[in-house]
Amino acid sequence: MKLDRKDILKALETISIAGEGKNMVESGAVTNVITFGDEVVVDLVLHTPAMHIKKRAEDDIKRTIHDLVSAEAKIKVNIKVETAEKNEIKGKSIPGIKNIIAIASGKGGVGKSTVTANIAVTLAKMGFSVGVLDADVYGPSMPMMFDVESEKPISVEVDGKSKMKPIESYEVKMLSIGFFTAPSQAVIWRGPMASKALNQMIFDADWGELDFMLIDLPPGTGDIHLSIMQSLPITGAVVVSTPQAVALADAKKGVSMFLQDNINVPVLGIIENMAYFTPAELPENKYYIFGKEGARNLAEDLNVPFLGEVPIVQSIREAGDYGRPAAMQTGSVIETVFETITRNVVQEVVNRNESLPATEAIKITTMAGCSAVKK
């Protein structure tokens, strides 16, 4: 059959783009429609780089044409992003750091720090140079998870300036408030003090060349999160949640925070922690203690990538307490789980950097990790 361009345009008038009141034809988002037999090409211009909006627009176009014009139509959608100048919360870059990933959770107790530590060591095993900034000011746990509680950063001179040298463990560089306080000491700071301390760990440290800096954010959405996003140009955010409804409600708020118009940080995806329990004596059984596939379903509802699930395994807890992340257990199920999740994170960073305008994108050049993605 032969498609009619007018029918296509009429169908597209029924679609509006998220955040815009007009339909995509009236707003000028559709710049061209070409038909040839049963093939149609739609050229679309968007004014936001958010990946979930691009994906939704493409899906809406294909579904609408199939529903209203022809179910047999072969559709190609070309999307170009043109971002207008606006007062976004963007910070200055740190020389030598290629990608900065914020790892967040809507609420405490979902295993965000454990996931951060295991992704960090997995990235290092893949051949990336990695740093971790423990921004969970009121509950810093990275020193314990990397078995460096007693370490103290030393001062080094870099280009005539005094800088903190991050502590290194398992080929991961890290800084944490925990290095500057006693283990039993509570950090009782107001927001501005905490923000100042974080800025010092970010800009007054000798991080060197890093492919990835992972930022372990505090739970929730608040002052620390805003300070980090004002200080740094975050490449993307990863949200960690458990499957139950209470955690998912807060995880949804965490995703929403990053997608605010004045923040506009791409969400790389959601990780489901404590997804199920499999006892050692019954390896084929799965018990969904906190609910089944809640975070996976949330990712689908929000149209953001699902990066993977982490089961409840006793060795993950033990490894964190002993200061040796579980992903380092060669040949274990947990090593495989975190390799899969980490490859997905790297792939989403690659996708993000390719899809955003060149002024925002930070390219990955380390081939070791890219090859890991393709395995």
Side-chain angles (χ1 to χ4, degrees), residues 108-163:
V110 300
K112 167 184 51 61
S113 297
T114 298
V115 169
T116 302
N118 282 284
I119 289 177
V121 296
T122 304
L123 284 168
K125 283 164 60 181
M126 287 179 173
F128 288 114
S129 51
V130 187
V132 173
L133 174 65
D134 187 356
D136 194 349
V137 174
Y138 305 109
S141 51
M142 286 300 157
M144 175 183 287
M145 290 188 173
F146 281 86
D147 194 25
V148 286
E149 286 180 283
S150 60
E151 299 287 336
K152 298 293 179 188
I154 62 172
S155 177
V156 294
E157 190 169 308
V158 180
D159 298 329
K161 294 181 181 179
S162 180
K163 298 268 189 178

Side-chain angles (χ1 to χ4, degrees), residues 139-209:
S141 51
M142 286 300 157
M144 175 183 287
M145 290 188 173
F146 281 86
D147 194 25
V148 286
E149 286 180 283
S150 60
E151 299 287 336
K152 298 293 179 188
I154 62 172
S155 177
V156 294
E157 190 169 308
V158 180
D159 298 329
K161 294 181 181 179
S162 180
K163 298 268 189 178
M164 281 184 287
K165 185 176 177 62
I167 301 299
E168 189 163 341
S169 178
Y170 310 128
E171 299 184 42
V172 175
K173 298 177 181 178
M174 79 189 73
L175 281 176
S176 168
I177 291 293
F179 292 136
F180 306 98
T181 59
S184 59
Q185 180 184 348
V187 179
I188 309 172
W189 287 349
R190 293 188 184 275
M193 286 184 66
S195 299
K196 185 178 179 181
L198 286 173
N199 274 331
Q200 286 183 311
M201 289 196 294
I202 293 167
F203 296 108
D204 294 341
D206 178 26
W207 288 103
E209 297 286 330

